[in-house]
């Protein structure tokens, strides 16, 4: 919550806020400049000023890190310093807390490193990604027996998983003997038939330092030995910002030795907590199940009845059903009897013989009426049919044909009404009063053969 503008900050609060702001904003950075005012008090710390043409920056290299710096630090030397910005709160000094110091002339070395890295990457040396057992049955640590790395690793292992079986393979991790020693150690371990790649693992590690200190881990032969290792390897070299060829060739990498150890074994406290949580969940689940089953048992017990009581209940239900059935049958018989009596009364009031005699009299009367009306209706319909026939004959075309007329039809049975409707050569049919004739149309100037004239 921001403070009101009228509430002043103390000097300590202001310096603390400034330190937190600087440390949170920048993190690890590299700064290049010229050394000035280098001092080494009896405490073992190194204090210096880093400057360029326009500005200067105070710096401090504490004893815990100074012993890993191989480059000499003299006034006038141009160096590159890796560290983090902070504020020395008692004096309010803005300074750089150094972690590593390199001579500024290492550009060619870094260029050679990048060329080798690119070549090995193209050859597939960095393709390893085998899973490492967690925790491993046997953890083989390749590092210096006197360095801070082994102490950090063992401390982490003891705190997280003290049951792990650890074997230290002591080697030099800096200088000319480092590369052959590490390659020899890898060869020795990979020749052990009792080691299993699925259950055992190798941790290759060392603490932080300058680029020259870590240069042994950038060796091409070491990278290839790591790549060809039968056993999976985790590389934990230097600090988080350090990246060596050994890191890329290994199956896994960790930013620091402590982080490497933490990734190789589980945290017993976390597992213990998880077991406690699971145990509590199991106890609650069992108790909940017992409660539910107890409630179900109580419910079943309340529903449970003695067999005699159940039989008596069934007997009563059967007696009720028998009574209902008897009453239903009696009611049905009573209704049937009443219906039968009703039908008997109706039959007595209207006997069939009387109904039959009445129907016979009606049938005889209807027969007499029919015998009288049928001849009259037949005569009337015959006279009407004769009149309709006369009218039809009067308008029938056949009556006209009987007087000597004819109807000409073409092949499609259409009536020829005009001379233009027929052409010379057409065959026509003449419909007479009695029969038909087939005719042929001739031109007007055609000579009629004698035989045809005689027929005419």
């Amino acid at each position: 919550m921001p403070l009101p503008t009228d509430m002043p900050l103390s000097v300590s609060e202001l310096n603390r806020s400034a330190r937190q702001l600087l440390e949170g904003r920048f993190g690890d950075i590299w700064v290049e400049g010229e050394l000035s005012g280098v001092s080494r008090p009896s405490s073992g710390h190194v204090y210096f000023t880093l400057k360029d043409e326009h500005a200067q920056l105070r710096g401090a290299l504490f004893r815990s890190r100074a012993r890993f710096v191989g480059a000499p630090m003299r006034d006038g030397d141009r160096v590159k310093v890796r560290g983090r910005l902070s504020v020395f709160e008692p004096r309010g000094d803005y300074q750089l807390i150094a972690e590593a110091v390199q001579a500024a002339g290492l550009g060619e070395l870094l260029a050679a490193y990048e060329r080798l890295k690119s070549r090995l990457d193209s050859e597939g040396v960095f393709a390893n990604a085998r899973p490492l057992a967690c925790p491993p049955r046997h953890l083989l640590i390749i590092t210096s027996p006197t360095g801070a790395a082994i102490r950090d690793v063992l401390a982490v292992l003891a705190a997280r998983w003290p049951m792990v079986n650890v074997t230290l393979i002591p080697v030099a991790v800096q200088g000319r003997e480092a590369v052959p020693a590490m390659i020899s150690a890898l060869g020795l371990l990979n020749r052990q038939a009792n080691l299993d790649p699925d259950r055992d693992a190798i941790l290759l590690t060392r603490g932080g330092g300058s680029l020259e200190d870590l240069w042994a881990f950038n060796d091409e032969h070491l990278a290839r030995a790591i790549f060809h290792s039968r056993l999976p390897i985790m590389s934990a070299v230097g600090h988080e910002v350090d990246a060596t060829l050994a890191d890329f060739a290994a199956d896994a990498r960790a930013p620091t030795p402590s982080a490497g150890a933490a990734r190789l074994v589980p945290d017993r406290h976390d597992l213990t907590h998880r077991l406690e949580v699971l145990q509590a969940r199991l106890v609650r689940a069992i108790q909940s199940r017992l409660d539910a089953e107890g409630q179900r048992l109580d419910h079943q017990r309340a529903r449970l009845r003695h067999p005699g009581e159940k039989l008596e209940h069934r007997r009563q239900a059967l007696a009720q059903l028998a009574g209902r059935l008897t009453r239903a049958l009696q009611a049905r018989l009573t209704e049937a009897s009443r219906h039968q009596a009703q039908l008997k009364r109706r039959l007595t009031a209207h006997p069939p013989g009387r109904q039959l005699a009445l129907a016979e009299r009606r049938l005889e009367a209807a027969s007499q009426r029919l015998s009288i009306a049928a001849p009259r209706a037949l005569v009337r319909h015959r006279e009407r049919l004769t009149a309709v026939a006369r009218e039809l004959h009067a308008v029938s075309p056949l009556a006209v044909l009987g007087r000597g007329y004819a109807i000409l039809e073409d092949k499609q049975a259409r009536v020829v009404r005009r001379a233009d409707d027929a052409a010379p050569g057409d065959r026509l049919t003449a419909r007479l009063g009695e029969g038909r004739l087939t005719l042929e149309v001739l031109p007007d100037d055609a000579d009629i053969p004698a035989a045809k004239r005689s027929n005419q």
Side-chain angles (χ1 to χ4, degrees):
M1 180 177 179
L3 296 173
T5 55
D6 59 347
M7 181 178 294
L9 292 172
S10 67
V11 176
S12 299
E13 291 173 340
L14 181 59
N15 285 353
R16 186 179 306 112
S17 298
R19 178 181 62 79
Q20 293 172 351
L21 180 62
L22 281 174
E23 291 177 353
R25 169 64 177 83
F26 287 95
D28 283 346
I29 58 173
W30 283 94
V31 182
E32 182 175 347
E34 180 181 329
L35 288 174
S36 175
V38 179
S39 64
R40 294 179 173 85
S42 58
S43 62
H45 306 321
V46 180
Y47 298 98
F48 59 92
T49 299
L50 199 62
K51 63 180 182 177
D52 60 13
E53 296 80 7
H54 306 291
Q56 63 181 12
L57 172 65
R58 289 184 179 275
L61 179 63
F62 297 128
R63 181 177 59 185
S64 60
R65 301 306 305 162
R67 60 194 182 92
F68 295 110
V69 175
M73 297 183 63
R74 299 183 297 264
D75 287 352
D77 288 347
R78 189 164 189 83
V79 295
K80 290 189 292 186
V81 180
R82 179 174 62 81
R84 54 186 177 82
L85 291 176
S86 185
V87 173
F88 184 58
E89 295 183 25
R91 291 203 303 267
D93 287 344
Y94 159 76
Q95 60 183 355
L96 176 67
I97 306 300
E99 295 287 336
V101 180
Q102 294 179 358
L106 293 178
E108 288 300 324
L109 194 59
L110 290 174
Y113 163 82
E114 292 294 338
R115 289 194 296 270
L116 179 58
K117 176 184 173 184
S118 177
R119 179 161 60 85
L120 293 178
D121 189 16
S122 64
E123 294 177 7
V125 177
F126 301 154
N128 278 344
R130 293 170 294 182
L132 281 77
C134 181
R137 180 188 63 173
H138 197 167
L139 178 60
L140 307 146
I141 304 175
I142 300 177
T143 189
S144 170
T146 60
I150 186 61
R151 294 194 297 272
D152 294 343
V153 168
L154 293 177
V156 172
L157 293 177
R160 291 174 64 87
W161 198 256
M163 297 81 75
V164 65
N165 184 17
V166 179
T167 298
L168 172 63
I169 313 299
V171 296
V173 292
Q174 185 173 337
R176 294 181 179 179
E177 300 84 4
V179 173
M182 288 187 285
I183 293 176
S184 177
L186 288 174
L188 175 65
L189 295 177
N190 280 282
R191 288 192 296 270
Q192 302 300 314
N194 61 332
L195 296 178
D196 185 357
D198 294 329
R199 294 188 292 172
D200 304 319
I202 297 174
L203 175 62
L204 179 64
T205 184
R206 71 148 287 164
S210 64
L211 182 60
E212 297 95 330
D213 298 338
L214 304 179
W215 194 251
F217 292 88
N218 291 320
D219 184 82
E220 177 181 358
H221 301 290
L222 177 60
R224 293 186 184 277
I226 294 173
F227 171 71
H228 291 292
S229 173
R230 182 175 65 92
L231 298 171
I233 298 175
M234 173 174 281
S235 176
V237 178
H239 292 288
E240 197 166 340
V241 296
D242 298 319
T244 65
L245 299 183
D247 294 331
F248 296 113
D251 297 279
R253 74 172 292 258
T256 63
S258 301
R263 292 185 182 181
L264 283 169
V265 296
D267 188 350
R268 60 173 177 168
H269 301 294
D270 289 344
L271 291 179
T272 301
H273 177 67
R274 286 183 58 191
L275 287 175
E276 291 173 351
V277 171
L278 292 175
Q279 182 182 12
R281 289 175 57 187
L282 180 60
V283 169
R284 289 196 299 271
I286 292 175
Q287 188 60 48
S288 177
R289 181 64 178 271
L290 289 175
D291 294 341
E293 293 299 327
Q295 185 177 6
R296 183 168 173 268
L297 181 60
D298 293 339
H299 180 66
Q300 295 292 340
R301 185 183 293 112
R303 294 177 58 191
L304 185 62
R305 294 291 183 269
H306 191 276
E309 183 180 351
K310 191 169 185 179
L311 287 175
E312 182 61 28
H313 177 73
R314 294 291 185 182
R315 190 179 293 108
Q316 293 176 0
L318 183 61
Q320 291 178 359
L321 291 175
R324 290 172 59 188
L325 179 61
T326 302
R327 289 192 296 274
L329 289 175
Q330 188 64 39
R332 185 71 178 268
L333 289 174
T334 303
E335 180 65 24
S337 299
R338 185 167 50 251
H339 184 64
Q340 182 182 10
Q342 183 180 5
L343 290 176
K344 186 176 182 180
R345 287 194 298 272
R346 290 174 60 187
L347 184 61
T348 303
H350 305 282
R354 183 188 303 173
Q355 296 293 329
L356 184 59
L358 183 61
E360 287 177 350
R361 287 196 296 272
R362 286 201 300 268
L363 179 61
E364 184 179 358
S367 297
Q368 293 175 358
R369 289 197 303 271
L370 179 62
S371 59
I372 297 172
R376 295 177 181 176
L378 185 61
V379 170
R380 186 171 60 254
H381 287 300
R382 185 180 290 116
E383 292 175 352
R384 185 179 176 188
L385 177 62
T386 302
V388 171
R390 285 195 300 271
E391 293 177 2
L392 179 62
H393 182 71
V395 297
S396 172
L398 297 178
V400 178
L401 295 178
R403 295 196 296 271
Y405 292 93
I407 299 175
L408 295 180
E409 298 177 349
D410 57 12
K411 291 181 178 180
Q412 288 76 29
R414 293 178 299 188
V415 176
V416 179
R417 293 181 175 82
R418 297 179 303 172
D420 293 339
D421 291 341
D426 289 349
R427 297 180 69 83
L428 304 177
T429 300
R431 183 175 180 181
L432 307 175
E434 295 182 1
R436 296 173 181 268
L437 291 178
T438 301
L439 308 177
E440 181 181 351
V441 180
L442 299 177
D444 295 339
D445 55 352
D447 295 330
I448 300 175
K452 290 185 179 180
R453 286 196 301 268
S454 64
N455 289 335
Q456 291 177 352

